Amino acid sequence: MPMSILSRRRFSALVLMATTVMTLPLQAQDVVLRVGDQVGAERARLEAAGLLKDVPYTIEWSVYPAAVNLHEALKAGAIDVGSSADSPAVAAIAGGSKVKIAAAFNNGGRGTSIIVPEDSDVTSLEDLRGKTISPTTRGSVSHYLVLGALKQAGIDPSEVTLAFLAPTDASAAFQAGGIDAWGTWGIYTARTTGILRARILTDGAGINSGYSVYSATKEALADPARRAAIADYVDRMDRAYAWSQANRDAFLDFYSGFTKQDRNVVEPMFEEQTAYERRPVDDALAADLQKVHDTWVEAGVLTGDLDMSQFIDRGPLREATQ
């Protein structure tokens, strides 16, 4: 018997639905993207920008206090993707982590600072000679900053004491006077300058590359559904940064609440927190990552040769959702 008009419409709708599911892997209900998030900053920013309301897959969040912890989780396969500065990502890859750099943003080198107590006699980088400095964890972006700052000031690392501490331990040591200076970033800088009125000695511009890179496991990138989810997630972060730049007051209100600091404390951090721009994953990025690796080798943090161009994902990540 011929189909009724209503039956034909239902049949056409089913065909369209099936085609959509096949061509858009993000629509599958069982797609789960495991995202590593340092101090919960990315989730909070996405929520503030209203970009977590229509996610067509499930995000499983894991929060870490620092990049080293996030990269340990990536190496163990506990998460699929996570962002960090380029220096800890390179250190993790050199340490055997089976990840590739899938996306990159850059803020011009801002965002990581060396801070000193309000009443410290350290007023310039040259005054760090003979001091005890915590670069937070070994291989972190603040470790990279400290080494670069010492080099800029003509100070050999042997002329200072480097105390590698987890962020919470470094914060406690800073408050107790156990260290003279602290290389740190983001929320830790905001809270320490806000609560203790610490002074920023240098903000990283001109030393750090400014890259924030998304490292993803090879397994996740090889899975079409998770790859599409990673592409969508990174695009959402791109839109979140655009929202931050275009909505100064709303961003400062959000960041003040997130860091639990007065608005006047976080206002000077607006540029470093919102200047991120998407950069292509290409030969130029590989060359910048190679420079970071070679700097680590020169500093004795890493050994051996590594071709960083082998650890970037050149596939059409952004196009995976189109």
Side-chain angles (χ1 to χ4, degrees):
M1 294 178 63
M3 286 186 185
S4 67
I5 293 176
L6 183 58
S7 297
R8 285 199 297 271
R9 285 177 178 172
R10 285 175 176 170
F11 178 76
S12 297
L14 288 171
V15 170
L16 177 60
M17 185 182 300
T19 302
T20 301
V21 170
M22 285 188 291
T23 56
L24 291 177
L26 289 180
Q27 300 300 326
Q29 293 184 356
D30 60 348
V31 177
V32 176
L33 184 66
R34 301 173 302 166
V35 177
D37 188 3
Q38 287 192 61
V39 301
E42 290 197 347
R43 182 178 185 175
R45 189 187 295 249
L46 287 167
E47 287 177 339
L51 292 169
L52 289 180
K53 297 177 180 178
D54 59 346
V55 181
Y57 49 91
T58 298
I59 299 178
E60 199 174 89
W61 299 96
S62 295
V63 178
Y64 302 99
V68 64
N69 311 103
L70 183 149
H71 279 287
E72 286 171 353
L74 278 167
K75 187 174 183 179
I79 56 176
D80 299 314
V81 64
S83 71
S84 72
D86 53 358
S87 40
V90 169
I93 289 170
S97 185
K98 305 299 183 184
V99 297
K100 283 197 169 186
I101 306 302
F105 291 82
N106 195 288
N107 76 343
R110 309 176 188 92
T112 307
S113 306
I114 297 177
I115 59 178
V116 296
E118 182 182 23
D119 59 355
S120 172
D121 61 355
V122 176
T123 59
S124 68
L125 293 179
E126 289 75 11
D127 294 334
L128 291 173
R129 183 177 279 104
K131 302 297 186 181
T132 298
I133 310 166
S134 176
T136 314
T137 52
R138 185 181 296 275
S140 66
V141 64
S142 52
H143 184 193
Y144 192 90
L145 170 61
V146 168
L147 291 177
L150 293 176
K151 185 174 184 178
Q152 192 176 86
I155 302 172
D156 190 274
S158 64
E159 296 180 88
V160 300
T161 300
L162 297 181
F164 295 102
L165 301 167
T168 52
D169 295 330
S171 177
F174 189 88
Q175 292 183 58
I179 55 177
D180 300 302
W182 180 17
T184 188
W185 61 87
I187 190 170
Y188 302 113
T189 300
R191 289 180 176 172
T192 310
T193 55
I195 296 171
L196 301 180
R197 303 199 178 280
R199 290 186 287 108
I200 295 177
L201 198 61
T202 182
D203 65 0
I207 297 176
N208 288 342
S209 69
Y211 274 108
S212 173
V213 298
Y214 282 83
S215 301
T217 65
K218 293 179 182 179
E219 181 183 10
L221 290 170
D223 176 2
R226 278 187 290 172
R227 184 182 183 87
I230 291 170
D232 178 82
Y233 180 82
V234 172
D235 282 346
R236 287 173 191 272
M237 284 305 304
D238 197 4
R239 289 155 57 195
Y241 286 127
W243 170 84
S244 302
Q245 293 163 8
N247 297 275
R248 181 186 179 92
D249 287 340
F251 172 80
L252 289 173
D253 287 343
F254 144 70
Y255 202 62
S256 175
F258 176 68
T259 60
K260 296 181 173 59
Q261 298 302 311
D262 291 339
R263 185 182 167 114
N264 67 307
V265 172
V266 300
E267 193 159 8
M269 303 177 72
F270 177 78
E271 291 297 333
E272 70 180 48
Q273 287 295 320
T274 64
Y276 285 98
E277 295 181 351
R278 187 86 177 262
R279 295 290 177 85
V281 179
D282 57 9
D283 289 342
L285 174 62
D288 286 332
L289 296 175
Q290 192 67 51
K291 181 180 178 181
V292 171
H293 175 267
D294 295 346
T295 299
W296 282 142
V297 171
E298 180 184 351
V301 176
L302 300 176
T303 58
D305 296 325
L306 202 63
D307 180 2
M308 290 307 302
S309 68
Q310 301 301 309
F311 297 94
I312 63 173
D313 183 272
R314 298 172 186 269
L317 183 66
R318 185 188 293 272
E319 298 172 10
T321 56
Q322 297 178 349

